[in-house]
Amino acid sequence: PFGSKGGALPRYSNKTSDMARILCTHVGSLPRPAAMVPVVRGDVPEPADWEEQLKAATAGVLTKQLEAGLDVINDGELSRRDYVSAARARMSGFGSKRQSATAADLEQSEEYAQKFKGRKGLLSLEKETVIENPACDAEIEYLPEGLKNLETEIERITGVI
């Protein structure tokens, strides 16, 4: 069993009387060990011990989530640059590009938005930085190599549980 409390993760029934609390989770990326960042970004090649680094970092991030009291945990996207790039590498149907939207709330806070000038992510944080992201233009299907990559990711995560 995996977990900081030395046992399996708690199971909850769907009976109202059995529910003591709302289950907690998170969505999105979690901070990576600094040495992993250039590899994930594609700035440097994967080192020979990359799989071992991923397994160790995965165990660490899962443990921290359990220690924080989360009920539903994940690897925080340790091995991928971002969700969109991972989806595009695993599935067909994303052959075109579209300009991303800007964060409308930051448009009203121009001074604060300037701190993000030039930063490129999945959306633009200010008006002047143009970002294009993959867009769906056909039926979406898993690619054979995408399924293999997904299975490898699942095996890594379940292998440390």
Side-chain angles (χ1 to χ4, degrees):
F2 181 81
S4 60
K5 297 180 177 112
L9 295 176
R11 304 263 184 230
Y12 294 92
S13 77
N14 60 1
K15 294 179 186 177
T16 305
S17 62
D18 290 342
M19 293 187 71
R21 62 190 179 93
I22 297 171
L23 299 180
C24 297
T25 189
H26 77 92
V27 176
S29 299
L30 292 172
R32 297 173 181 90
M36 293 179 72
V37 173
V39 179
V40 172
R41 285 185 180 158
D43 297 337
V44 299
E46 293 178 1
D49 67 341
W50 180 243
E51 289 303 317
E52 290 78 22
Q53 286 186 40
L54 276 175
K55 286 178 186 175
T58 299
V61 77
L62 295 178
T63 298
K64 285 181 180 179
Q65 290 172 75
L66 290 171
E67 290 172 352
L70 295 181
D71 301 293
V72 182
I73 59 175
N74 63 63
D75 77 338
E77 299 188 306
L78 285 173
S79 66
R80 54 182 126 159
R81 183 178 180 137
D82 60 70
Y83 174 78
V84 172
S85 298
R88 188 171 180 215
R90 290 179 178 166
M91 297 180 267
S92 65
F94 297 95
S96 63
K97 292 192 175 232
R98 296 286 185 268
Q99 184 173 335
S100 72
T102 59
D105 56 338
L106 288 179
E107 288 181 19
Q108 296 174 6
S109 306
E110 291 182 31
E111 183 179 330
Y112 184 68
Q114 286 303 309
K115 295 179 180 186
F116 298 103
K117 189 172 185 168
R119 180 178 171 193
K120 295 194 173 193
L122 298 178
L123 60 95
S124 177
L125 299 175
E126 47 81 36
K127 291 181 183 179
E128 296 174 26
T129 303
V130 176
I131 299 172
E132 288 189 334
N133 287 314
C136 182
D137 62 358
E139 185 175 341
I140 299 171
E141 295 183 49
Y142 271 101
L143 302 167
E145 61 272 13
L147 280 175
K148 183 179 177 188
N149 177 274
L150 177 61
E151 289 168 4
T152 300
E153 186 172 341
I154 291 169
E155 287 171 9
R156 174 178 47 83
I157 295 168
T158 58
V160 300
I161 293 180

